[in-house]
Amino acid sequence: MTAPGRRSSTFTRLLRHGFTDPSAAERLLESPELAPIRNDPVLLEALGATADPDLALHGLVRLLEAQPDSGAQRRLLDTVIAAKPLRDRLLGVLGASAALADHLSRHPSDWQALVMYEPRDLHPEVEEFEHGLAEATDPVSLRVAYRRCLLSIAARDVCGTTDVAQTAAELADLATATLRAALALARAAAPEDAALCRLAVIAMGKCGGHELNYVSDVDVIFVGEAVDGADEGKALRSATKLASHMMRICSETTVEGSIWPVDANLRPEGRNGPLVRSLSSHLAYYQRWAKTWEFQALLKARPVAGDIELGEDYIAALEPLVWKAAERENFVSDVQKMRRRVVENIPVAELDRQLKLGPGGLRDVEFAVQLLQLVHGRDDASLRSGTTLDALQALAAGGYVGRADAAQLDAAYRFLRSMEHRIQLYRLRRTHLVPEDDADLRRIGRSLGLRADPVAELNREWKRHASVVRRLHEKLFYRPLLDAVAQLSPGEARLSAGAARERLVALGYADPASALRHLEALASGVTRKAAIQRTLLPVLLGWFADSADPDAGLLNFRKVSDALGKTPWYLRLLRDEGAAAENLARVLSAGRLAPDLLMRAPEAVALLGDGDGGTGLEPRSRGHLEQEILAAVGRADGAVQAVTAARGVRRRELFRTAAADIVDSYGTETKPAEADQGALVDRVGAAVSDLTAATLAGTLRAVVREGWGDTLPARFAIIGMGRFGGHELGYGSDADVVFVHEPRDGVDEHEAAAAANRVVSEMRRLLQIPSSDPPLLIDADLRPEGKSGPLVRTLNSYAAYYRRWSLVWESQALLRAEPVAGDEELGRRFMELIDPLRYPADGLGEDAVREIRRLKARMESERLPRGSDPKLHTKLGPGGLSDVEWTVQLLQLRHGWAEPSLRTTRTREALAAACAAGLLPAEETAILDEAWVLATRVRNAVMLVRGRAGDTFPSDSRELAAVGRYLGYEPGHVGDMLDAYRRTTRRARGVVEELFYGG
């Protein structure tokens, strides 16, 4: 007897053998059932070798207790001690699976299924499993026989007799035998139905691919035909009854539980389509209606039960369609979009524990392999395997995947599948989540041979393999393209030129020959630059392929690299700063404007990096911009050099704004696209307006300094008008302004006027001198008397004009007036002068309201460009910018005198103020705001994509697709974009009709 407070020697030995609850284990060892062998050292050694010794011991005691008599117990104990193969298999299963231990306690004689250890037992196939299920006469006995067969598979698995691929194949073969047995039971229950039809069961998914899990839905498709002379409709109804009964036999819960769900949702039209179709109906659907993912699913199709000849006819009929799937428009993007959608639908709380669907999970490997099979399997039949690891090996052998990459993915996939098997085996429940409990992790780790520190080792190995998959699964598609052109590894199989072109076309490249030349120029050679670019390009190619114009992205990257490739900081930026490479890829492939701005001064690529805390693309304040520009002007030698410097800053900041807009609109791998479209519009409008104001301030300073030194003979102010005054400039907007001056004390009015006019003339000239920087056009047509009036007026002249001649449209235009540069005090006085005009006391009279409506109607009929679709014209079309802005401005003219919050130059701010003041219902405010934001976004997109301003959607299909990507539409959804635009503006026009014309 052990003294109180001291541990027994048995307790210590149990700890040493891996038991976590030695006290409970001691009590179990003292049970009478184990009396004959409790002191046998073989028992503890064997239990200690299992995944969970406590679980194994508990399961063994339960199994002994369930034996019918002492003789049966003795036979079991004798076999456990004397027969090492049985001992390892039985205890291995009991230590890994509580569910199979439950089965053995319910069916205590089934342990004898593990005694056999003959060669044919090592790798059973469908025939052996059919033999094991042969005695099943109903769903309950079928479940018992199924579990008995599962015992032997699990035993070979946990003992290492079979590897993970062989185990998955055996599970698929057992599923095949089970489907056949279930169909036989269904046919026996309805012989009349069976006599009318031929029914083939096609395995899909992991069962079809010969790589099934322990617990998984078994995906199937049913094909039915009438037997000779039978009516087709009746035959299909009979086949449907048989198929439904077969599914219930496998899926329904009985006293012995269920086997697994049989899922037929991969059939044409999914759960909305008929359960059984004829072969001709299947063929018609796939020829006409099937989506890309449905052909991807058919990669694993395999006839397994029922009429095998009919099943083989089904495969033969559909196989040619499968291998043409890669020719479909947007093929790669469709597959990748489906993968992204799967990830997006994972609950956030589960994302880090998802072994199958999460980033770096099993599905990443499977999708990558299937994508490559569909692209190259057209011409290479060796790739047409439904089994992931076999297909990966064939891809490597053919040079479609690098051998090293394939080996790493193979190892990662095997490890992740082994984890998945062990997780499911424990309770025989369908799950792909890695458990959080340390006891579960310890059992899984030990079952995989990680014995020193099972939990820490398991987590480390899991994260390492997931990281490999994350890094390689997309590169897998692109890296062989570089190997094909760089040819740095003599003797290794590589893509042929034809296969490389085939892959580029599948990725969306319109000119694969040029793309291959660019890749060769970028990746060939042994320089540091080429080595770093070979590392970067597989990822960059993926990002280019995610754009509407991959060719332009690759060409622009080559141009930037040619310009900067010898500068160490550029390659270091792309290699070391996480955001820079992806941001650059997005910017280079999103359209013409941003790359054009970048090519004029490629060093601006530095803005794309993480910068100081990730602020490289953050817009700079107007104060900072003005300070930099004025400092550059002060250092310059003459006005031309000064304005050149100011325009250089403007070009760089336009690039910063455009790049930030593109990145925010597309999103990145670490940051989703900005959901608030209004915020995107506001950021661009504010940034471009501030930049324009700072550029005008610098240009004014340069012109005055060169002509007059420090002081101009007149006070001079620039007033922003239109979108400029409203802080709503787009990339292609002119600067709408009016100029006001006032002679300084003692200066002759004519001298002051001449100086002011000279300033304006020189500013306009300098800002439009042809150079590598984009011009800034100054438009003063909103001045009194328009083009016929003087370019510059004194404050008194403005006062006299407005007092005597002002028209209602001029009051409307002044709603957006705001000082932007020059003499601040003069600008403030100008505002005081015009406030009574734009916010007239007691609002507008009815005559003025009618005049505004008349002007708007005339503008709609006269100014719309000939031949353009009015419904898609962002400025003048129904529900477009003009509609919303005139409606808002009419509210400001009528109520601004009484509602101070309406006194703003910004459209969206005025809309919100009108709503808050009760002048607009919230629903109508939202409709107008949505339409205005969308139209503005379209205009910005057109400028970014085409490099020149436009008010309508592009007619070129690639440009239109690029606009769609900027607006958040996936490839192939341009029609949805246009429909959404029409729908949004149609609703806005309805509000305008009511408020502007009817209110």
Side-chain angles (χ1 to χ4, degrees), residues 202-216:
I202 311 297
M204 305 288 286
K206 283 188 160 43
C207 184
H210 233 75
E211 50 189 16
L212 198 60
N213 299 327
Y214 276 103
V215 188
S216 175

Side-chain angles (χ1 to χ4, degrees), residues 555-587:
L555 172 61
N556 289 330
F557 179 68
R558 181 179 176 184
K559 289 178 179 177
V560 171
S561 288
D562 285 348
L564 295 176
K566 293 182 180 178
T567 55
W569 65 264
Y570 165 69
L571 293 172
R572 192 164 56 246
L573 173 84
L574 295 185
R575 185 191 64 199
D576 299 338
E577 295 207 32
E582 184 174 5
N583 289 347
L584 179 62
R586 297 297 183 200
V587 166

Side-chain angles (χ1 to χ4, degrees), residues 258-270:
S258 67
I259 301 177
W260 18 246
V262 177
D263 188 341
N265 287 336
L266 290 177
R267 68 186 184 271
E269 300 180 79

Side-chain angles (χ1 to χ4, degrees), residues 128-404:
E128 283 75 30
F129 288 124
E130 284 187 293
H131 180 73
L133 302 177
E135 295 179 8
T137 56
D138 56 45
V140 174
S141 58
L142 180 61
R143 280 151 178 70
V144 175
Y146 175 84
R147 292 278 193 279
R148 192 181 304 121
C149 292
L150 196 63
L151 266 173
S152 64
I153 295 176
R156 286 187 293 276
D157 180 16
V158 297
C159 292
T161 308
T162 54
D163 66 13
V164 67
Q166 291 169 322
T167 300
E170 287 183 16
L171 288 165
D173 284 342
L174 175 57
T176 296
T178 306
L179 289 171
R180 291 178 182 178
L183 182 56
L185 291 176
R187 291 172 68 89
E192 304 86 358
D193 289 323
L196 284 174
C197 65
R198 300 170 64 198
L199 176 65
V201 183
I202 311 297
M204 305 288 286
K206 283 188 160 43
C207 184
H210 233 75
E211 50 189 16
L212 198 60
N213 299 327
Y214 276 103
V215 188
S216 175
D217 289 359
V218 170
D219 296 309
V220 298
I221 285 176
F222 296 105
V223 188
E225 293 289 348
V227 298
D228 291 341
D231 176 76
E232 183 177 299
K234 288 182 179 178
L236 288 178
R237 285 193 292 274
S238 293
T240 301
K241 290 177 187 175
L242 292 174
S244 299
H245 192 188
M246 187 203 84
M247 293 173 70
R248 289 197 304 275
I249 288 170
C250 296
S251 306
E252 285 181 348
T253 301
T254 69
V255 291
E256 287 291 338
S258 67
I259 301 177
W260 18 246
V262 177
D263 188 341
N265 287 336
L266 290 177
R267 68 186 184 271
E269 300 180 79
R271 65 185 60 195
N272 297 319
L275 183 63
V276 182
R277 287 176 184 258
S278 66
L279 178 53
S280 60
S281 176
H282 275 286
L283 190 57
Y285 174 85
Y286 283 104
Q287 287 173 333
R288 188 168 185 185
W289 304 111
K291 296 181 174 61
T292 299
W293 70 264
E294 293 178 278
F295 292 109
Q296 185 181 351
L298 285 172
L299 281 171
K300 296 185 177 295
R302 179 172 64 95
V304 292
D307 191 316
I308 298 298
E309 183 183 350
L310 176 58
E312 288 172 348
D313 289 344
Y314 170 89
I315 299 297
L318 293 185
E319 193 172 43
L321 301 180
V322 172
W323 303 115
K324 289 181 180 177
E327 299 171 7
R328 296 162 68 93
E329 189 176 0
N330 302 315
F331 160 70
V332 172
S333 62
D334 279 351
V335 175
Q336 292 173 334
K337 178 175 67 179
M338 184 179 171
R339 174 69 190 115
R340 284 195 297 271
R341 193 180 300 131
V342 168
V343 174
E344 288 164 3
N345 288 333
I346 300 172
V348 175
E350 296 181 1
L351 189 62
D352 291 338
R353 297 191 293 126
Q354 251 292 352
L355 199 59
K356 176 182 177 182
L357 304 178
L362 293 162
R363 188 57 60 86
D364 275 346
V365 181
E366 292 159 1
F367 263 63
V369 169
Q370 289 163 20
L371 200 57
L372 290 169
Q373 284 181 280
L374 287 169
V375 170
H376 298 295
R378 290 177 289 180
D379 301 318
D380 189 342
S382 70
L383 306 180
R384 299 179 183 180
S385 170
T387 307
T388 301
L389 291 176
D390 290 349
L392 181 58
Q393 184 179 6
L395 286 164
Y400 303 101
V401 172
R403 288 189 184 277

